[in-house]
Amino acid sequence: MTALTCAVTVSAGSAGSGTAARSPVQDLVSPRTVPGAAQLSQDAHGVRFHTAGVADVRTGRPIRPTDRFRVGSITKTVIATVTLQLAAERKLDLDDPVSTHLPAATAALLPCPGDSDSDSRDPGCRITVRQLLTHTSGLFSYTDDRAFFHRFFGPGFTAHRFQTHKPDALVRTALSHPPHAAPGERYRYSNTDYLLLGMVIRQVTGHSYATEAHRRVIAPLRLTGTSFPGTRAGLPSPHGRAYTATGATPGATTGTTTGNSRTADATYLNPSSAGAAGELVSTLPDLNRLFGALLRGTLLPAPELRQMRDTTDSYGRYGMGLFPVRLPCHRTLWGHNGEISGSYVQTLGTTDGRHLVSYRVNSDAPVDAAAERALLTAEFCPKA
């Protein structure tokens, strides 16, 4: 964390001086779908910032290190951290049925309402807090509902982008579909799981997940660029623009679609459609600070941090708000990624939290997987 106070080495991919070494972040940019990309790396040698493309296609403004942007599912890392802190404080147990930590009206929406442990009842009543954290609840993800996705993340985005969503309504959307599996049977990523964890935090503490996260994580780490916007459509300053490919409508007056672009402006939106599963706003320096502190054990006692990195239930794919990334040089990184309309980001670090990288693009268009692998390999795998 102290390395963030050091001087930052900046390399602009569009600088044209020819003196700076080419950064892999440049390969994340696509002329028609991804206007800009940025990478912030941090290790014992200091902090390095690389950028390519632009933050705003109209003005040509570059991406800056302190720009705010939406981080999508990296929100889950914060929600998991708060939940595990509550477990460490004995305010809940990870193997508690989640129905015992939900408002009665929400618990009644689950496949098996009430607090009975009888195996004769629907297995939904046996969903535990642990299974929500590890995405093994079996619950359908509300964002996979075709009508919902079409309206809020697909072609209907422009018309519905400012609509407010209540968590219980999103849960109801999820539960209109049958579960994918019985609780604990298999891993399947579900935004519904973390939506429910946000409600658990409120029920256990008496405060919203945003309030608890600010008190327990954001304020102690001095993450001055990080916030939960709730239903606010705008981004705090400074910020660039965000561009959507899935929500682009050619010729739309609210977008920035041009003859050479397949994107529309998605800077302003109501993030309540993501809620506890993905509403957070942050910066690249804040993300490095967050994950560095988490991986080093600043935010959680050792037993809870071990559980956070335990991928047994998901057969190696996901822990609790963290997942492993294994590189060709046999190094394993820990972190999370996030996507929401107009933004994609990933933060990863070594197990000890001393070497970190956060990188992002200002678009929701698919990022080239080979370019991501090349960026991570260049950052974490020493050259022979």
Side-chain angles (χ1 to χ4, degrees), residues 104-182:
T106 304
L109 296 175
L110 293 176
C112 177
D115 56 6
S116 171
D117 291 326
S118 171
D119 288 343
S120 65
R121 304 189 71 189
D122 191 291
C125 65
R126 299 196 301 274
I127 295 173
T128 65
V129 174
R130 182 187 304 276
Q131 289 160 353
L132 296 182
L133 286 163
T134 58
H135 293 294
T136 57
S137 71
L139 293 175
F140 186 89
S141 179
Y142 71 94
T143 50
D144 289 341
D145 179 89
R146 289 185 181 181
F148 183 90
F149 186 90
H150 184 279
R151 287 195 301 272
F152 302 106
F153 300 106
F157 170 76
T158 299
H160 297 277
R161 64 196 299 174
F162 298 119
Q163 185 171 330
T164 295
H165 300 266
K166 299 293 187 182
D168 57 348
L170 298 177
V171 171
R172 194 174 294 112
T173 296
L175 297 180
S176 67
H177 299 267
H180 290 296

Side-chain angles (χ1 to χ4, degrees), residues 23-286:
S23 168
V25 78
Q26 293 175 249
D27 292 325
L28 300 180
V29 173
S30 169
R32 301 190 70 183
T33 58
V34 182
Q39 170 190 349
L40 186 70
S41 303
Q42 173 185 342
D43 58 17
H45 302 291
V47 180
R48 301 167 298 282
F49 179 68
H50 302 280
T51 182
V54 297
D56 187 325
V57 298
R58 289 177 171 169
T59 67
R61 170 193 182 286
I63 297 176
R64 298 168 185 159
T66 56
D67 278 353
R68 274 70 166 170
F69 57 93
R70 304 183 195 280
V71 304
S73 286
I74 287 181
T75 308
K76 293 180 175 68
T77 305
V78 177
I79 296 299
T81 300
V82 172
T83 305
L84 286 164
Q85 287 178 347
L86 294 173
E89 295 163 8
R90 306 283 193 243
K91 294 179 179 176
L92 58 78
D93 190 288
L94 297 186
D95 294 315
D96 288 343
V98 69
S99 59
T100 64
H101 297 300
L102 290 172
T106 304
L109 296 175
L110 293 176
C112 177
D115 56 6
S116 171
D117 291 326
S118 171
D119 288 343
S120 65
R121 304 189 71 189
D122 191 291
C125 65
R126 299 196 301 274
I127 295 173
T128 65
V129 174
R130 182 187 304 276
Q131 289 160 353
L132 296 182
L133 286 163
T134 58
H135 293 294
T136 57
S137 71
L139 293 175
F140 186 89
S141 179
Y142 71 94
T143 50
D144 289 341
D145 179 89
R146 289 185 181 181
F148 183 90
F149 186 90
H150 184 279
R151 287 195 301 272
F152 302 106
F153 300 106
F157 170 76
T158 299
H160 297 277
R161 64 196 299 174
F162 298 119
Q163 185 171 330
T164 295
H165 300 266
K166 299 293 187 182
D168 57 348
L170 298 177
V171 171
R172 194 174 294 112
T173 296
L175 297 180
S176 67
H177 299 267
H180 290 296
E185 185 175 284
R186 66 172 69 105
Y187 166 83
R188 182 162 178 145
Y189 192 91
S190 174
N191 286 307
T192 306
D193 289 349
Y194 276 73
L195 196 75
L196 288 168
L197 285 170
M199 302 169 79
V200 166
I201 291 170
R202 174 181 281 279
Q203 188 71 6
V204 170
T205 67
H207 305 123
S208 70
Y209 61 82
T211 297
E212 283 297 308
H214 187 273
R215 182 175 74 85
R216 293 168 172 270
V217 178
I218 296 173
L221 295 182
R222 299 180 183 177
L223 305 181
T224 56
T226 301
S227 61
F228 285 86
T231 60
R232 296 190 303 276
L235 285 171
S237 295
H239 67 81
R241 311 301 295 180
Y243 299 95
T244 180
T246 57
T249 303
T253 58
T254 57
T256 58
T257 304
T258 68
N260 295 321
S261 173
R262 292 179 179 173
T263 63
D265 194 297
T267 307
Y268 297 103
L269 59 87
N270 184 331
S272 61
S273 58
E279 74 163 275
L280 196 68
V281 169
S282 194
T283 66
L284 293 177
D286 275 10

